[in-house]
Every structure is written in structure tokens, then in C-alpha cells.
Amino acid sequence: MDAYRSAGVDYDALDAAKREALAAALSTSGLLAARGARAIDESRGEPAFVLTLGDTTLAMVLECLGTKSIIAREFEESGGSGHYADIAYDTVAAVVNDLCCVGALPLVVNAYFATGNSEWYGQGDRLSSLVEGWRRGCFDAGATWGGGESPTLKSLISDNDIELAGSGIGHVPNESGPILGDRLAAGDEIIFLASSGLHANGASIARRVAHDMADGFHTRLPSGSLLGDAILTPSRIYAPLIADLLGRGIVPTYATHITGHGWRKLMRANRDFVYRIGTLPKVPEVLSFLAQRSGMDERESYATFNMGAGFALFCRPEDSERIVERAKACGLQPLRGGELDRGPRSVRLEPLDITFTSDDLSLR
């Protein structure tokens, strides 16, 4: 992950910290019994935590946008659009897409807007844009905006910036149950859902690339689009499709949101399979540009960015055509990309002759 390290992000250290925190969290599972609830410990390390309360199964998650909000501010300061509605939408997408990975339909999303100076909100239409983007994201996800927190953290956050994060609760239908990878089997197909571009992963690299260019975020891509506008294109929300599928009794065997660690996330489930990819989606222009300008080869690009696949659904072969049909009906671009074989856990991108293994990599 040389590109991330050069951008100041050490995933090895972050993953080690995650593992230590998860181990401590596991020791608290038994406390739920006093409230009549039970932790589904198999969900630990999945995108969202799952628990049962009586006959109800719920999922919870907390996600943050990361440094994409800095890009919005820097682009605005250089004369571009602020895109604050889009980064708010991005944050909602990060929350609800993680809920969907475990088969939970979003119920409530709460907002966290933290600034270094309360005067941040008084500049232009920043606040109204944030609110509208968050509201729009909730509507698209079918989730209620429950509330949130907006602290001013002087000295902890730059006076010029805002940190966006959110938490969410989702309901897992009894008919489908949580999707945690235990249903995966050799022969399952992998269906990719197209991304809209960068989404929220790789913003640190995008900033470094822009800073190294004479025109910065105003650099023109081959299509003529501005780099800043392309980077800040909002993420896609996949919740409507998951709700549609579960409502029709079509239950994926697994699902993953392709974010940090890129395509290696395909082997996130704690199962030993070879994930053979025979067809790759079209790579968005902005991701090709960022990969090239940051000096990434194909291997590192697919280990870092979503490279055109924002979400992956795993399913029985007999369900694949119906999933493709329903994805198109929801306005998404699906692609039947591969299948699972027996073997040691790995991802094989056959068109590129690239193989990722789980060695020395924390995916949970």
C-alpha cells in the first residue's frame, strides 16, 4: 500500500488497532443477556454488528466520511463548487451500505457534524447544503434521520474543516436472517454493482495527486470534467436493491461494500474460497486518472480503489439472473463477474493475472 503510506495513512497500524479493539469488544458480549438480548458474535468484524432482542434482529454501525470533506473545502476555496450536499450524502451512504452488507434494512441514521470553529457554518450555504444532502441520503435509503450531534472541537479539528460521521440502526427481516457468510458455497456467483467513482475510499491519495498538479482540483480529465467535481461525485446507496431483493425472498449468500482494501474485500467472509473474477467492470475515468498519477500499477489500484465496483453480492447461480434484473430495475448497473471455487482464501482477477491472498491482511 505504498500510495496510502505516501499519503500519510498506515493501514498496518490501523488494522492492528482494529484487531485489539475487537478482542476487547468480544469480552463484553455477555452483558447483553441482562437486557434480554444476545450478541451475534459471528458478526464481529463484519461491516455492522448484529444482535437479537426477543424475536427482533437488529444491526448497528458507526461510520465516518474521512478526509473527503477536506477536498470539498479545498475545492470550494479554489473557486469550485463546495459539494457539501454530496459529502453529506456520502456519509449516509457509508452508514447504510454497511448495514445492507449484513442484510439489515436501514431504520434510523444519526448525524455527527464536528467543526473546529462554529463560524464554519456561517460561510455561504454550507449548512443548508449539508442538511439537504443528509436528508436526501436518508430518503434514498428509506431511513429516518433520528438526530445527532454537532460539537465544536477547538484545536482538535482545524477551524477550516468539518468532520462528518454517522451511526445507523437496521432491521434484519426474520425471513432472511443476517447475512454473515455462513451460507457461501462453491459455485456461488458474484455480481458487482457499479460505483459512481471514488465513493469515500482513497480521498487521502486523491488530495495528494491534486496537490502535486499545477491546476490542482481544477485539472481537466480527458473527458473535460474537473478533477474536483469528479472526485466529489456522490457515492451510490444500495439499500433500495437490498430491500427489494429481501422483500421478494431473494437472499444473497454474502454481500460486501468495496471500500478500504479495495477488491481484497471480496474475501472478507471468514471462509476458505477462491473468488475467481472473470469479468471486470468499466473503471471510472477519475479512478484511472488517480491510479496513473499516483504511480500505482494494476495490482495496487485494485488493492486500493473500488475500480468501478461499489458493492458485491454473492448468490446461488439460480438467483443471479433475478438479482441482475432487480438491480437494473433499481437504476443500478449490475455485472456478473465471477464465482467461488474451493481452495485457500484468495481473490483471482483472471483478466489481469492478479491474485490477492489473505496473508498478513486484516479484512475484518
Side-chain angles (χ1 to χ4, degrees):
M1 301 290 283
D2 292 338
Y4 261 118
R5 288 193 181 94
S6 65
V9 179
D10 185 344
Y11 257 113
D12 290 338
L14 292 174
D15 289 340
K18 278 186 183 179
R19 289 192 294 270
E20 182 174 348
L22 280 172
L26 184 62
S27 69
T28 69
S29 290
L31 299 176
L32 279 173
R35 304 288 187 264
R38 181 175 68 90
I40 306 298
D41 283 327
E42 294 80 7
S43 69
R44 293 193 181 277
E46 294 293 333
F49 173 67
V50 182
L51 71 153
T52 61
L53 180 62
D55 294 331
T56 302
T57 303
L58 300 170
M60 301 180 63
V61 67
L62 184 150
E63 265 291 354
C64 65
L65 177 68
T67 58
K68 200 172 183 182
S69 60
I70 300 179
I71 295 176
R73 187 260 299 168
E74 291 179 339
F75 188 43
E76 179 189 50
E77 289 177 346
S78 66
S81 170
H83 285 272
Y84 292 108
D86 292 336
I87 60 172
Y89 190 96
D90 280 336
T91 313
V92 175
V95 172
V96 300
N97 287 339
D98 275 358
L99 289 173
C100 290
C101 287
V102 298
L105 305 181
L107 293 174
V108 179
V109 176
N110 273 13
Y112 179 82
F113 301 165
T115 57
N117 189 320
S118 57
E119 294 181 2
W120 186 94
Y121 295 107
Q123 301 180 46
D125 62 353
R126 286 177 169 181
L127 177 58
S128 60
S129 294
L130 278 175
V131 169
E132 174 54 25
W134 198 278
R135 185 195 69 83
R136 180 163 51 89
C138 287
F139 266 100
D140 287 354
T144 292
W145 181 354
E149 184 69 21
S150 54
T152 296
L153 305 175
K154 194 73 174 177
S155 298
L156 185 60
I157 296 176
S158 164
D159 285 358
N160 297 323
D161 289 312
I162 186 167
E163 180 187 26
L164 298 177
S167 61
I169 298 175
H171 173 245
V172 179
N174 290 337
E175 297 78 12
S176 56
I179 299 172
L180 302 175
D182 53 305
R183 303 168 185 165
L184 284 169
D188 282 359
E189 291 195 26
I190 305 170
I191 298 173
F192 298 117
L193 304 176
S195 70
S196 57
L198 184 69
H199 285 197
N201 183 56
S204 296
I205 296 172
R207 286 183 64 221
R208 182 176 61 80
V209 168
H211 291 171
D212 288 344
M213 305 191 71
D215 292 329
F217 292 110
H218 293 266
T219 299
R220 293 283 177 182
L221 300 179
S223 66
S225 300
L226 291 181
L227 176 61
D229 287 327
I231 290 172
L232 292 165
T233 298
S235 305
R236 286 203 166 108
I237 287 177
Y238 302 99
L241 173 61
I242 303 303
D244 182 284
L245 293 176
L246 298 185
R248 296 171 185 272
I250 306 171
V251 184
T253 55
Y254 195 61
T256 186
H257 186 199
I258 300 179
T259 53
H261 297 310
W263 281 54
R264 293 176 293 179
K265 275 285 173 68
L266 295 177
M267 55 178 166
R268 181 170 191 160
N270 194 20
R271 304 289 304 280
D272 284 330
F273 290 107
V274 177
Y275 300 84
R276 292 200 307 107
I277 310 303
T279 305
L280 299 171
K282 180 180 179 181
V283 180
E285 177 186 45
V286 65
L287 296 183
S288 296
F289 183 88
L290 291 173
Q292 178 186 18
R293 292 290 177 159
S294 60
M296 292 182 182
D297 60 17
E298 287 182 325
R299 180 181 181 83
E300 188 170 7
S301 298
Y302 279 85
T304 304
F305 295 126
N306 67 60
M307 300 304 280
F311 204 89
L313 291 171
F314 303 73
C315 66
R316 299 284 185 255
E318 60 268 24
D319 288 333
S320 63
E321 190 57 44
R322 289 194 296 165
I323 290 176
V324 167
E325 174 188 310
R326 296 315 307 163
K328 290 179 179 177
C330 290
L332 298 172
Q333 298 166 293
L335 174 70
R336 296 166 75 169
E339 62 182 15
L340 277 63
D341 277 347
R342 293 182 179 86
R345 187 156 48 147
S346 59
V347 175
R348 296 181 185 172
L349 308 184
E350 294 178 343
L352 303 177
D353 194 24
I354 291 172
T355 298
F356 299 117
T357 69
S358 58
D359 294 344
D360 303 317
L361 175 65
S362 174
L363 290 162
R364 299 175 63 77

